[in-house]
């Protein structure tokens, strides 16, 4: 059924992935809502609808309702539910073992490609890189010049958010030698967990614009290494247009090779819209 888009539609897949990436594939609707800035009942409704379609497609059983489970509660076909303590009372939802097995066998969410290294905000990504504690030395990395397929997005309050890979960003930092690519002489500091400089990954074409492109924006060719000051300036400060012009000039050929074809004017427009 996972491959049947009439059963597992886009919203269902996005909601299911939120639970799948949680420890033990378990979480409450309240905590999912809090994490992704959504109303807790939005995920409830999507999963309940999915459960109803699964029940109908299989045609093997009927949800009658036992105890506190109402007869219209369909989510239990895909999730197990357990009441946990506290006030107000909440239920811990856990993806059923059969569904977890199917997801893993089909590698449905690309779990073999560093699934534990996918993050949905720049801050989450930067924090995860620092916690990885693998900064022993600068590792050799070369651009492949190959476009990559974009991954599935998840639903957040203001739209969709696409995953960022920790490994891809680390490759980009390695390629830059952990120096600021606006100016390699910009001051920085040593990381606590290594002798390397602290710099941060920045997507040149913002991940928020992934819908406008047919290939992934989360590729090394689209990521630059920036010192803290430049990273803040390009998002929040004046003079970002000059920074973008310099970066674009250096990277436009690499971007085009990986299917990211954009003009300088449109790139600057993205940043202007981001600041509003």
């Amino acid at each position: 059924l996972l491959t049947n888009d009439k059963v597992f539609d886009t919203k269902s897949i996005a909601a299911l992935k939120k639970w799948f990436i949680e420890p033990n594939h378990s979480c409450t609707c309240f905590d999912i809502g809090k994490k992704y800035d959504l109303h807790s009942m939005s995920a409830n409704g999507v999963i309940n609808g999915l459960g109803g379609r699964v029940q109908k497609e299989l045609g093997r059983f009927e949800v009658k309702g036992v105890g506190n489970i109402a007869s219209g509660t369909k989510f239990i076909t895909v999730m197990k539910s357990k009441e946990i303590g506290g006030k107000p009372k909440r239920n811990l939802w856990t993806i059923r073992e059969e569904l977890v097995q199917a997801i893993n066998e089909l590698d449905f969410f690309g779990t073999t490609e560093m699934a534990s290294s996918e993050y949905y905000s720049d801050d989450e990504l930067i924090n995860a890189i620092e916690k990885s504690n693998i900064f022993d030395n600068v590792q050799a990395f070369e651009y492949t010049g190959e476009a990559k397929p974009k991954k599935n997005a998840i639903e957040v309050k203001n739209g969709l958010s696409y995953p960022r890979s920790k490994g891809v960003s680390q490759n980009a930092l390695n390629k830059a030698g952990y120096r600021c690519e606006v100016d390699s002489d910009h001051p920085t500091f040593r990381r606590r967990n290594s002798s390397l400089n602290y710099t941060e990954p920045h997507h040149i074409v913002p991940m928020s614009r992934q819908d406008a492109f047919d290939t992934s924006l989360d590729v090394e060719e689209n990521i630059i290494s920036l010192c803290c000051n430049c990273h803040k300036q390009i998002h929040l400060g004046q003079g970002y247009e000059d920074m973008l012009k310099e970066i674009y000039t250096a990277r436009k050929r690499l971007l085009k090779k990986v299917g990211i074809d954009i003009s300088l004017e449109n790139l600057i427009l993205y940043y202007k819209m981001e600041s509003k």
Side-chain angles (χ1 to χ4, degrees), residues 30-246:
F30 175 83
D31 289 323
I32 288 291
K34 185 177 180 181
K35 180 175 182 179
Y36 296 101
D37 202 14
L38 297 166
H39 192 287
S40 61
M41 293 304 293
S42 64
N44 184 310
V46 172
I47 296 297
N48 204 44
L50 170 63
R53 292 193 298 275
V54 169
Q55 176 190 337
K56 182 178 180 180
E57 188 72 17
L58 289 176
R60 297 176 186 171
F61 49 80
E62 179 182 356
V63 180
K64 292 185 176 181
V66 177
N68 294 328
I69 302 297
S71 60
T73 304
K74 309 293 186 181
F75 74 83
I76 60 174
T77 61
V78 291
M79 299 269 199
K80 293 186 292 185
S81 177
K82 177 182 178 182
E83 189 175 286
I84 57 177
K87 293 183 179 180
K89 292 182 180 180
R90 297 192 176 101
N91 288 332
L92 182 69
W93 287 13
T94 304
I95 301 178
R96 290 192 173 276
E97 291 88 347
E98 304 93 327
L99 182 52
V100 171
Q101 181 181 353
I103 290 170
N104 287 330
E105 286 182 2
L106 294 175
D107 193 21
F108 195 69
F109 292 130
T111 53
T112 59
E113 189 180 340
M114 299 184 294
S116 62
S117 298
E118 289 187 354
Y119 302 89
Y120 290 87
S121 75
D122 289 339
D123 288 341
E124 282 184 351
L125 175 63
I126 291 170
N127 290 335
I129 289 174
E130 289 313 298
K131 291 178 181 178
S132 64
N133 201 32
I134 60 169
F135 298 102
D136 295 330
N137 50 30
V138 177
Q139 302 171 8
F141 174 80
E142 296 299 331
Y143 297 123
T144 65
E146 297 178 359
K148 295 180 181 178
K150 60 183 181 183
K151 297 182 180 180
N152 290 328
I154 62 167
E155 184 180 359
V156 295
K157 185 175 182 179
N158 295 319
L160 297 175
S161 181
Y162 285 88
R164 299 145 171 83
S165 167
K166 180 174 68 177
V168 170
S169 287
Q170 285 178 320
N171 285 340
L173 296 182
N174 282 329
K175 178 65 175 174
Y178 293 90
R179 294 181 180 275
C180 180
E181 291 187 78
V182 170
D183 188 335
S184 61
D185 291 329
H186 278 178
T188 183
F189 53 88
R190 301 289 187 184
R191 297 174 186 269
R192 286 186 179 180
N193 54 351
S194 84
S195 61
L196 296 174
N197 290 335
Y198 177 87
T199 56
E200 297 177 347
H202 172 72
H203 290 79
I204 301 167
V205 181
M207 289 298 299
S208 61
R209 300 297 170 177
Q210 179 63 85
D211 277 348
F213 297 87
D214 296 326
T215 59
S216 177
L217 296 179
D218 191 40
V219 291
E220 292 86 353
E221 289 83 350
N222 188 43
I223 299 174
I224 55 172
S225 171
L226 295 177
C227 65
C228 300
N229 189 68
C230 282
H231 202 183
K232 291 297 184 184
Q233 182 181 357
I234 204 167
H235 282 295
L236 304 172
Q238 297 182 15
Y240 69 92
E241 297 98 333
D242 292 335
M243 295 174 69
L244 287 173
K245 183 177 180 180
E246 183 178 340

Side-chain angles (χ1 to χ4, degrees), residues 243-269:
M243 295 174 69
L244 287 173
K245 183 177 180 180
E246 183 178 340
I247 293 167
Y248 178 80
T249 300
R251 288 291 185 98
K252 61 181 179 180
R253 290 183 180 178
L254 284 171
L255 291 173
K256 198 167 186 177
K257 279 186 177 181
V258 294
I260 305 174
D261 193 0
I262 186 172
S263 67
L264 175 60
E265 292 74 20
N266 283 340
L267 181 62
I268 292 175
L269 181 61

